[in-house]
């Protein structure tokens, strides 16, 4: 056990955690932000993707203690008040989800990929979503959503 | 996950002290293999010694070698200007590992220490005549991989860096498992003047191995056509739900042909 502090969506969060607490459990159980999902125990599905110091990672495969002092953004931290992030809007407008279980991870992966490469191509989007599995949509609308989101974020493709 | 202790030392000296004091401790690098293993309760170490504070992530050209720190993440190797210039095949290999989120965390040292029979890096280490530098010795690639998930490393030994010899030419081609992206078969071909080394991953029951016959054929004639006469024996190759040994034997030849350009 031990006290840890990290920044979560702009707020400093300090909690007592066991050494084996996963970051995703810290976010969901300790802080109570349940937008970050858990869909597997093999680190393959990507439902748990968050940004750690601006980089997308699987929160189910990192210990809370490894994230001490980090700056973390989860799906709840993307919108600006009532105004959705352009990538969230694009998923909404392009029907990029059905049940929505994979969506937080999809959106977080998509935002990182477009932040790194605004003029992203369809092939690059498909490659970039390699670590996110969706059981519902068949990916077509997800890829269209990321494309539209990239355009809203200033991309030319 | 069983309960365990977590420590994050600031140097390899402190990390060695920490692992000794823990009894059955494990080093934690990117955690992309170790944490899933712990979550499935396939291991129950007394403690985890996080190496991310030990400053082992530099990448630099050193004479005739390219030296990569054990904690260099796959994404850093994939995007490194030095790696792309000196051994572009290594950047390509790193860029093809798993998915973006795995590459953002996983490290070269963790991959090499783990020696998964389907991992990509071991083939580069073997083909590029690499040397593995640990806290107390340097081990040649040919002596390092000793079997599936087995290496010459002692329990409390830390890989600090890996030096790759600069090849005249090199390439890595893998047939990825469509679900995990691990190599169903991956072949790393490296040419050093007249010498050619061919290392095969994903296929051997004993883990990564060199294919002497293809090496000698390619040394005298470096062309995909010259491989047509080579017969790949399926004895000793992995048969599992993904592919039979015979299918893997065929993939070895096919991937090698694609790698020879
Ligand atoms: C979904 C998924 C897909 C993947 N796809 C691929 C793929 O296509 N190709 C591929 O090659 N790999 C793949 N991997 C594995 C990935 O590359 C891992 O990052 C790698 O195998 C282990 O590196 P790590 O840094 O995460 O090590 P960890 O998981 O932290 O450690 C692994 C082992 O190595 C030991 N160790 C770590 N660092 C050191 C060191 N410096 N000295 C001594 N011992 C050390 C640890 O104690 C542990 O036993 C995949 C993993 C996942 C989850
Ligand atoms: S929950 Fe599936 S990858 Fe994290
Ligand atoms: S929308 Fe249901 S899993 Fe993707």
């Amino acid at each position: 056990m031990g006290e840890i502090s990290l920044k979560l969506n702009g707020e400093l969060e300090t909690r007592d955690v066991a050494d084996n607490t996963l970051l995703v459990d810290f976010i969901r159980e300790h802080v109570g932000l349940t937008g970050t999902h858990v869909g597997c125990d093999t680190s393959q599905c990507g439902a748990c993707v968050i940004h750690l110091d601006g980089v997308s990672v699987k929160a189910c495969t990192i210990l809370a203690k490894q994230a001490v002092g980090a700056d973390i953004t989860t799906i709840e931290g993307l919108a600006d008040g009532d105004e959705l992030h352009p990538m969230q809007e694009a998923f909404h407008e392009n029907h990029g989800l059905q049940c929505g279980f994979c969506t937080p991870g999809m959106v977080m992966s998509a935002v990182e990929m477009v932040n790194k490469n605004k003029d992203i191509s369809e092939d690059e989007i498909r490659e970039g979503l390699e670590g996110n599995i969706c059981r519902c949509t068949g990916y077509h609308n997800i890829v269209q959503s990321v494309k539209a989101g990239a355009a809203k974020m200033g991309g030319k493709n | 996950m069983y309960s365990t202790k977590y420590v994050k030392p600031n140097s390899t000296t402190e990390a060695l002290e920490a692992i000794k004091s823990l009894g059955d401790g494990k080093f934690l690098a990117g955690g992309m293999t170790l944490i899933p293993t712990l979550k499935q309760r396939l291991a129950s170490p007394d403690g985890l010694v996080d190496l991310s504070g030990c400053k082992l992530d530099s990448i630099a050209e050193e004479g005739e070698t390219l030296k990569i720190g054990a904690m260099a993440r796959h994404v850093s190797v994939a995007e490194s200007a030095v790696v792309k210039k000196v051994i572009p095949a290594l950047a390509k290999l790193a860029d093809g590992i798993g998915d973006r989120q795995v590459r953002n965390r996983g490290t070269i040292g963790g991959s090499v220490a783990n020696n998964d029979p389907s991992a990509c890096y071991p083939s580069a280490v073997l083909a590029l005549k690499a040397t593995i530098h640990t806290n107390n010795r340097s081990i040649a690639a040919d002596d390092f991989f000793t079997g599936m998930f087995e290496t010459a490393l002692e329990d409390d030994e830390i890989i600090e860096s890996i030096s790759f010899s600069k090849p005249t030419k090199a390439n890595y081609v893998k047939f990825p498992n469509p679900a995990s992206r691990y190599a169903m078969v991956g072949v790393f071909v490296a040419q050093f003047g007249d010498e050619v080394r061919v290392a095969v991953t994903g296929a051997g029951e004993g883990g990564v191995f060199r294919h002497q016959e293809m090496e000698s054929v390619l040394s005298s004639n470096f062309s995909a056509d010259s491989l047509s006469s080579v017969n790949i024996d399926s004895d000793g190759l992995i048969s599992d739900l993904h592919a039979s040994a015979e299918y893997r034997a065929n993939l070895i030849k096919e991937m090698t042909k694609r790698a020879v350009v």
Side-chain angles (χ1 to χ4, degrees):
Chain A
M1 287 297 281
E3 194 177 85
I4 65 163
S5 291
L6 49 79
K7 218 164 156 198
L8 190 53
N9 300 328
E11 303 278 333
L12 192 68
E13 300 286 357
T14 303
R15 296 286 191 286
D16 238 3
V17 299
D19 285 14
N20 66 353
T21 301
L22 295 168
L23 182 56
V24 73
D25 293 328
F26 177 88
I27 294 168
R28 290 177 53 87
E29 313 289 336
H30 292 246
V31 182
L33 292 180
T34 54
T36 303
H37 292 165
V38 177
C40 75
D41 56 12
T42 52
S43 307
Q44 281 178 307
C45 78
C48 62
V49 172
I50 56 150
H51 293 180
L52 178 108
D53 295 326
V55 164
S56 70
V57 302
K58 294 176 180 177
C60 72
T61 316
I62 170 167
L63 299 171
K65 289 213 161 176
Q66 286 177 279
V68 166
D71 189 350
I72 289 173
T73 306
T74 67
I75 189 73
E76 291 92 342
L78 278 188
D80 183 6
D82 284 343
E83 199 171 317
L84 291 179
H85 184 281
M87 190 60 75
Q88 292 174 304
E89 261 176 19
F91 269 72
H92 180 190
E93 289 160 3
N94 291 276
H95 204 79
L97 55 142
Q98 286 187 29
C99 79
F101 193 83
C102 70
T103 314
M106 290 283 177
V107 171
M108 296 311 283
S109 291
V111 169
E112 187 207 29
M113 120 176 60
V114 176
N115 279 341
K116 290 230 151 66
N117 174 11
K118 288 216 170 357
D119 303 325
I120 195 163
S121 69
E122 177 162 338
D123 282 352
E124 289 168 328
I125 293 172
R126 288 184 184 275
E127 205 291 317
L129 292 175
E130 186 58 56
N132 295 84
I133 294 175
C134 175
R135 298 159 303 167
C136 301
T137 73
Y139 301 99
H140 182 75
N141 285 3
I142 295 175
V143 173
Q144 295 313 309
S145 303
V146 180
K147 257 188 179 169
K152 282 173 188 279
M153 288 167 71
K156 291 191 215 53
N157 281 333
Chain B
M1 195 190 300
Y2 292 107
S3 77
T4 192
K5 263 181 79 167
Y6 169 88
V7 288
K8 185 174 167 185
N10 292 314
S11 67
T12 45
T13 316
E14 279 178 40
L16 289 163
E17 281 164 19
I19 204 104
K20 290 210 171 74
S21 71
L22 278 169
D24 178 24
K26 275 222 163 270
F27 296 117
L28 174 63
M32 291 296 110
T33 295
L34 186 51
I35 292 182
T37 308
L38 297 177
K39 281 162 64 179
Q40 288 166 49
R41 296 197 164 191
L42 296 171
S44 55
D46 297 329
L48 302 171
V49 179
D50 186 346
L51 298 177
S52 68
C54 298
K55 302 163 211 75
L56 295 174
D57 56 0
S58 67
I59 301 180
E61 225 177 321
E62 270 189 15
E64 282 313 295
T65 67
L66 173 69
K67 193 170 182 179
I68 304 185
M71 285 300 293
R73 305 201 189 267
H74 304 329
V75 68
S76 313
V77 174
E79 291 175 1
S80 156
V82 188
V83 180
K84 282 191 198 164
K85 187 186 82 180
V86 182
I87 316 183
L90 204 54
K92 173 180 164 186
L93 175 149
D95 197 42
I97 292 176
D99 53 57
R100 178 87 205 176
Q101 291 71 36
V102 168
R103 294 194 292 275
N104 280 341
R105 296 294 299 171
T107 68
I108 187 168
S111 175
V112 171
N114 198 49
N115 193 19
D116 187 302
S118 303
C120 302
Y121 268 125
S123 67
V125 169
L126 208 47
L128 291 169
K129 295 197 269 193
T131 304
I132 291 94
H133 306 285
T134 75
N135 52 292
N136 62 12
R137 58 182 171 148
S138 294
I139 311 168
D142 284 319
D143 304 324
F144 185 81
F145 301 108
T146 53
M148 194 183 267
F149 295 111
E150 299 284 341
T151 68
L153 288 176
E154 302 288 338
D155 275 351
D156 294 352
E157 196 170 2
I158 300 177
I159 300 180
E160 295 189 334
S161 64
I162 301 170
S163 306
F164 295 90
S165 309
K166 290 183 197 168
T168 327
K169 212 165 144 183
N171 198 9
Y172 176 69
V173 176
K174 76 168 164 178
F175 190 92
N177 177 309
S180 74
R181 315 310 283 174
Y182 271 101
M184 214 132 92
V185 166
V187 179
F188 203 107
V189 177
Q191 201 179 17
F192 298 88
D194 293 340
E195 184 193 359
V196 176
R197 289 171 65 109
V198 178
V200 179
T201 189
E205 281 177 338
V208 65
F209 64 91
R210 283 172 61 194
H211 201 284
Q212 266 86 13
E213 193 187 344
M214 288 199 289
E215 289 183 352
S216 70
V217 167
L218 290 172
S219 299
S220 50
N221 177 5
F222 194 76
S223 73
D225 284 348
S226 71
L227 293 168
S228 304
S229 59
V230 177
N231 180 39
I232 312 280
D233 195 349
S234 59
D235 269 3
L237 298 187
I238 300 169
S239 251
D240 59 16
L241 76 164
H242 306 301
S244 65
E246 291 73 20
Y247 186 66
R248 280 194 166 86
N250 187 58
L251 280 179
I252 290 174
K253 187 154 158 181
E254 193 52 39
M255 293 304 113
T256 311
K257 280 184 170 172
R258 291 184 198 177
V260 175
V261 284

